[in-house]
Amino acid sequence: MKVSNLFIFLFLLAISVVDAQEIRVHDPVVAEQDGTFYLFNTGRGISVHSSTDLENWKREESVFSEKPDWTDDVVEDFENHIWAPDIFHKNGTYYLYYSVSSFGKNTSAIGVATNETLDPEDDNFEWVDQGIVIQSVPSRDMWNAIDPNMVEDEEGTVWMSFGSFWNGLKLVKMDEDLKSIAKPEEWHTIARRERSFELPDEDPGDAALEAPFIFKKHEYYYQFLSWDLCCRGDESTYKVVVGRSKDVKGPYVDKEGKPLNEGGGTLVVQGNENWYGAGHNSTYTFNGKDYMFFHAYDANDKGAPKLKVAELEWDEEQWPSLKNDVLK
């Protein structure tokens, strides 16, 4: 009986190692602190996992056990299902930006919470919500305040890129407090696809793009973004494209020289017969290697969204591609 139990334990352990990277996530972002990687993703109260090897992930407590007080003012009867976070570290503080929204509407806002540490065992560990950073309103704004990503330029100025559908993805300069937009406001459209003219303003439209992530490498800022449709199981068509610019404000162009704000984008990864769609990525350098994190919809598990981690490589012209095929 003891031998049988040991066999079962070792078998289950082997399965857990094989499937270690395929935890269920949407919209993963990652930060490293003292040798531990912390992954934040869409979920009730913002889901969190930790890992020491980027393969085996431990579930941690969510960021918010209760929804932030202000969220019902944006989305009526908000149920604490928070989308698409981004984690950013500056001046000894971790800033966790997150999205509150109604699906298919630009009834949305981006908020931010702060913490001194990501280690839940640290005595100073406490997420403190700082409220709304930016809000979009239907029939007023032709942009959507979701999917934030923070980037610091070479002068030390921090910018937020964000957006989904409507008239494209935006970049806005942040105030030094990193909790509000800088005054006077400075906005840029950094990616856009063609939208049908006849659609009413409140309609998300058919210009399907979202989730910008800007990564500094070589002499360029690379803007990764997701095209087409997420969150639809076997009808998901998500894919990741990229463009680059030597100025964080753009214009960003793809490998063929087409501007991203004119529909350009060079393909990085897309779905296949085993994975319906792949998108909403984040990109980092860890231990001297460049990684792209994203989710893909598993065709062999009813379209469940799974975490994918791929190392990036760069061609002679300094364009990225996935070094390892993680969508087999």
Side-chain angles (χ1 to χ4, degrees):
M1 186 69 176
K2 289 182 179 180
V3 173
S4 177
N5 287 341
L6 177 61
F7 174 80
I8 292 172
F9 170 77
L10 292 174
F11 175 74
L12 293 175
L13 178 62
I15 292 175
S16 69
V17 171
V18 169
D19 292 338
Q21 286 189 341
E22 294 188 354
I23 56 175
R24 292 193 177 206
V25 303
H26 258 120
D27 319 325
V29 295
V30 181
E32 184 270 339
Q33 181 185 340
D34 299 330
T36 298
F37 301 94
Y38 296 90
L39 182 150
F40 301 85
N41 64 275
T42 291
R44 191 164 302 279
I46 307 177
S47 298
V48 185
H49 294 77
S50 64
S51 173
T52 57
D53 59 8
L54 295 179
E55 293 183 2
N56 300 283
W57 296 93
K58 173 189 174 185
R59 183 68 181 262
E60 303 285 356
E61 293 292 327
S62 297
V63 172
F64 297 116
S65 58
E66 302 289 340
K67 61 186 176 184
D69 292 339
W70 57 267
T71 55
D72 282 338
D73 293 335
V74 175
V75 178
E76 187 176 359
D77 297 324
F78 185 65
E79 296 182 351
N80 203 27
H81 188 257
I82 298 175
W83 299 356
D86 189 44
I87 185 72
F88 184 71
H89 185 250
K90 188 173 176 64
N91 298 331
T93 298
Y94 289 94
Y95 297 82
L96 184 66
Y97 298 85
Y98 59 91
S99 309
V100 170
S101 184
S102 296
F103 191 82
K105 300 179 181 179
N106 62 339
T107 305
S108 308
I110 294 168
V112 62
T114 55
N115 205 332
E116 293 182 26
T117 177
L118 300 180
D119 181 1
E121 302 302 318
D122 192 307
D123 290 341
N124 295 318
F125 179 85
E126 181 185 12
W127 286 109
V128 179
D129 190 53
Q130 305 293 337
I132 295 178
V133 178
I134 189 171
Q135 181 176 0
S136 56
V137 177
S139 300
R140 183 194 74 178
D141 302 312
M142 288 296 289
W143 44 269
N144 195 15
I146 67 169
D147 298 355
N149 169 242
M150 314 305 290
V151 60
E152 185 173 1
D153 67 21
E154 294 178 349
E155 287 72 45
T157 300
V158 178
W159 301 78
M160 176 192 286
S161 63
F162 66 92
S164 174
F165 285 73
W166 278 273
N167 275 347
L169 310 184
K170 308 300 180 182
L171 183 81
V172 63
K173 183 188 289 187
M174 295 295 292
D175 188 82
E176 291 183 359
D177 67 6
L178 301 185
K179 304 171 188 176
S180 57
I181 297 172
K183 303 294 185 182
E185 294 185 7
E186 183 177 346
W187 293 65
H188 303 271
T189 298
I190 55 172
R192 173 168 34 200
R193 298 177 80 183
E194 186 174 353
R195 175 186 170 91
S196 296
F197 284 114
E198 66 273 12
L199 295 173
D201 288 355
E202 63 271 18
D203 192 316
D206 46 7
L209 77 172
E210 58 191 10
F213 193 96
I214 298 175
F215 176 64
K216 184 69 166 62
K217 179 77 175 181
H218 309 116
E219 68 269 34
Y220 294 104
Y221 295 91
Y222 291 84
Q223 182 193 167
F224 295 87
L225 61 150
S226 296
W227 276 4
D228 300 334
L229 302 178
C230 82
C231 317
R232 290 166 172 80
D234 60 0
E235 296 183 359
S236 300
T237 54
Y238 239 14
K239 56 182 64 70
V240 176
V241 300
V242 69
R244 70 186 186 188
S245 171
K246 291 187 176 181
D247 187 333
V248 71
K249 300 184 294 294
Y252 291 84
V253 299
D254 66 15
K255 196 171 184 178
E256 304 304 318
K258 186 174 183 178
L260 265 58
N261 59 14
E262 296 178 10
T266 296
L267 183 67
V268 179
V269 64
Q270 64 181 341
N272 56 32
E273 67 275 10
N274 295 316
W275 299 91
Y276 294 124
H280 206 118
N281 79 290
S282 58
T283 306
Y284 310 93
T285 302
F286 292 133
N287 300 322
K289 296 180 179 180
D290 299 327
Y291 293 94
M292 192 171 87
F293 298 77
F294 59 99
H295 70 257
Y297 299 95
D298 190 346
N300 297 305
D301 190 11
K302 301 179 181 179
K306 304 286 184 69
L307 173 66
K308 292 296 176 181
V309 183
E311 189 177 343
L312 287 177
E313 60 184 359
W314 305 84
D315 66 18
E316 294 181 353
E317 297 180 344
Q318 299 178 341
W319 285 98
S321 61
L322 302 191
K323 186 175 182 178
N324 47 319
D325 182 5
V326 296
L327 296 184
K328 293 180 180 179

